[in-house]
Amino acid sequence: MIRVLSYAGLIPFVFLPLASMVWPLLAPAQALLLFQFYSCLILGFMAGVLWPVLHQPKAATQQALAAVSFPIVSFLALALLPAYSVLIQAGLFLALSFYEHFSGISQQYQQSYRTLRYQLTTVVVLSHLGFYFFYG
């Protein structure tokens, strides 16, 4: 079920850029705004699932603060730098993945979940870059 829900979560990342090209009722600016909001939401979710791992006794306060910073920076980028927020969000998704890997958090996941998160991150980052370079 986790795999199905995870792949279903990719639908807006793939659908919104495509829909804005072929569906005249969805203007590129509207699709971009929806994409940016959804990206903020999903980045917050992906950072939020770190909390059970970080809640363990050996987790440092700095790790918890770092996890919270990803969605905050994403929201600030959308509010303050909307023209670049898609690129910033792509970088934040990559940074979150690197953070999980280099902090050892991802090692606490089952291998199948770790692989799933890497696959999802790859699709999400590519969709961000595609959206930016197509409309930017």
Side-chain angles (χ1 to χ4, degrees):
M1 183 55 90
I2 289 175
R3 188 171 292 284
V4 171
L5 292 174
S6 296
Y7 286 127
L10 289 177
I11 292 171
F13 287 118
V14 175
F15 173 75
L16 286 168
L18 294 175
S20 67
M21 290 187 290
V22 298
W23 193 34
L25 296 177
L26 184 62
Q30 291 171 314
L32 179 61
L33 188 59
L34 290 171
F35 187 91
Q36 291 167 315
F37 283 136
Y38 186 71
S39 184
C40 284
L41 176 80
I42 294 302
L43 188 61
F45 173 77
M46 288 185 71
V49 299
L50 299 179
W51 280 99
V53 175
L54 296 174
H55 193 62
Q56 298 174 13
K58 66 180 182 175
T61 302
Q62 295 88 354
Q63 287 181 310
L65 291 173
V68 170
S69 70
F70 290 99
I72 291 171
V73 172
S74 179
F75 178 77
L76 289 174
L78 180 56
L80 302 174
L81 300 166
Y84 300 103
S85 70
V86 171
L87 279 181
I88 294 168
Q89 289 171 334
L92 288 169
F93 277 102
L94 275 176
L96 179 62
S97 184
F98 289 143
Y99 172 72
E100 289 177 334
H101 177 75
F102 290 113
S103 68
I105 291 170
S106 65
Q107 298 304 313
Q108 297 180 45
Y109 301 148
Q110 292 180 355
Q111 177 62 40
S112 60
Y113 184 68
R114 189 175 338 143
T115 301
L116 176 65
R117 279 182 74 96
Y118 290 145
Q119 291 170 347
L120 297 172
T121 298
T122 300
V123 172
V124 167
V125 168
L126 290 175
S127 70
H128 279 75
L129 294 176
F131 212 129
Y132 179 78
F133 288 114
F134 189 75
Y135 289 110

